Amino acid sequence: MGMRRWLGGVVAVGMLGACEPLDDAGGGGTTGDVLFDRGFAFVREDRNIYVVDDDGDPNSPQRLTTGGGAYTPSISRNGNSIVFVQKSGSTSSIQTVPTSGGPVSTLISSNDTACGACTNFRGPTFSPDGRTIVFAFDRGSGSQSALGSIAVDGSGFKDLTPGNTIAYGSPSFFPSGSTVVAPAGSNTFQYNQLAFVPVGGGSPSFVSLGNEVLAIANRAVVSPDGRQIALDGRLSSGSTRIFVGNVTSAGISGALRRLTDYTASTVQESFPSWTNSTQLGFLFNDSGGDPSIYRAPVSSTASSVTLAVPSANEPFYGPN
């Protein structure tokens, strides 16, 4: 059953808690029913990387890894490759795998000589030209986190925030490729700012989030046209919601607004990813249930959503 037919009508936001995953088995092995061209990459409970094409069956995704320990996949702009974090005990590495399936390549690992005492890699993402990958990392135990870049062949590590005194989260590129935006704050549990960081060198600029959003839970992502930003904001209630705002490479213009109008304190909306410049995919979880991916249009008012992929976590859509 093709994904576009399966989505069907709109699911009211108030009914989200009643949507049950259709597949608990962990996916369709190492082959999918449709060659991946455009769609979601994500992980499941087994901590492997999966993809499902927009024209494929969301209940039978293609599994690309088998060793587990995978986190936060991101798709290249040409749709050919996925970069992700691999964790094993206290060590981590940045790895890539083709979206069509194939061998996994390791680009950089904890305490690699190229970056010194680097560890705890997070949120890798491809540059628009596909030549480099930018990511967050910790330099030594107890130090503040930084942003780094590396070529897709694993060479040329560069610290983008040398001498930093704050913590940085998962970065996202503006379409020009010259600037990334990332959550920032006093520590990794309090990303209460957005940092705009020049990739070619220079001092970052910082913007506060306003009054409603206390901190960014996981990521902030720039839309394909570079005009909007989406983030998962933590509220005073302890829940998270997806917020959207207008943005330039220098900061936010105007106030952030909620993507949906769902209000239950048990709901967690996180890991936003742009499916196009007017729609977002994101993770939805209610009352500790099985998380799934939903889509929602971006507009001036909160709207209803559609279920996209059941039993999925840490989604990223691409290419776009």
Side-chain angles (χ1 to χ4, degrees):
M1 181 161 48
M3 185 172 184
R4 289 182 180 125
R5 283 192 293 129
W6 180 80
L7 285 175
V10 173
V11 180
V13 176
M15 295 293 289
L16 286 178
C19 294
E20 293 295 330
L22 303 180
D23 172 32
D24 296 319
T30 56
T31 59
D33 58 345
V34 173
L35 182 66
F36 183 83
D37 177 66
R38 185 184 304 272
F40 285 102
F42 54 92
V43 298
R44 282 189 159 176
E45 289 185 357
D46 61 359
R47 280 289 158 190
N48 283 305
I49 303 294
Y50 291 80
V51 291
V52 61
D53 190 82
D54 279 355
D55 288 327
D57 182 353
N59 297 291
S60 184
Q62 179 180 1
R63 189 180 65 213
L64 301 181
T65 66
T66 58
Y71 292 79
T72 58
S74 177
I75 304 172
S76 62
R77 298 299 174 92
N78 63 9
N80 293 337
S81 183
I82 289 176
V83 63
F84 62 97
V85 172
Q86 173 74 24
K87 294 184 180 181
S88 178
S90 61
T91 64
S92 64
S93 60
I94 293 179
Q95 300 185 353
T96 58
V97 63
T99 54
S100 58
V104 172
S105 299
T106 299
L107 305 185
I108 192 169
S109 299
S110 296
N111 302 317
D112 192 293
T113 55
C115 64
C118 58
T119 187
N120 192 24
F121 298 110
R122 299 182 304 283
T125 187
F126 286 96
S127 62
D129 63 10
R131 296 179 180 179
T132 60
I133 292 166
V134 173
F135 51 90
F137 70 99
D138 294 345
R139 188 182 293 282
S141 176
S143 66
Q144 295 288 13
S145 58
L147 295 181
S149 68
I150 196 169
V152 293
D153 64 359
S155 65
F157 169 80
K158 180 180 179 181
D159 190 339
L160 300 180
T161 54
N164 64 293
T165 58
I166 66 171
Y168 291 91
S170 303
S172 175
F173 272 94
F174 279 86
S176 67
S178 61
T179 303
V180 295
V181 61
S186 58
N187 57 66
T188 56
F189 304 102
Q190 190 62 28
Y191 293 135
N192 59 0
Q193 303 173 73
L194 284 171
F196 295 78
V197 182
V199 176
S203 300
S205 59
F206 300 91
V207 175
S208 63
L209 302 174
N211 296 325
E212 187 174 10
V213 177
L214 300 183
I216 298 171
N218 294 290
R219 74 166 58 135
V221 286
V222 179
S223 62
D225 62 9
R227 297 179 178 179
Q228 298 184 89
I229 191 167
L231 55 87
D232 46 2
R234 185 178 297 116
L235 310 180
S236 58
S237 64
S239 63
T240 60
R241 294 289 186 275
I242 305 299
F243 286 80
V244 181
N246 297 326
V247 71
T248 68
S249 59
I252 298 175
S253 174
L256 297 170
R257 61 189 186 278
R258 292 196 192 190
L259 179 70
T260 74
D261 58 5
Y262 205 65
T263 58
S265 60
T266 55
V267 167
Q268 305 293 334
E269 299 173 354
S270 59
F271 289 98
S273 183
W274 294 89
T275 60
N276 57 56
S277 292
T278 60
Q279 185 186 75
L280 280 164
F282 64 98
L283 191 71
F284 178 90
N285 192 11
D286 189 10
S287 302
D290 198 12
S292 299
I293 304 171
Y294 286 79
R295 299 179 191 240
V298 175
S299 63
S300 58
T301 58
S303 60
S304 299
V305 303
T306 53
L307 177 62
V309 183
S311 302
N313 207 337
E314 300 170 11
F316 190 95
Y317 186 90
N320 57 25

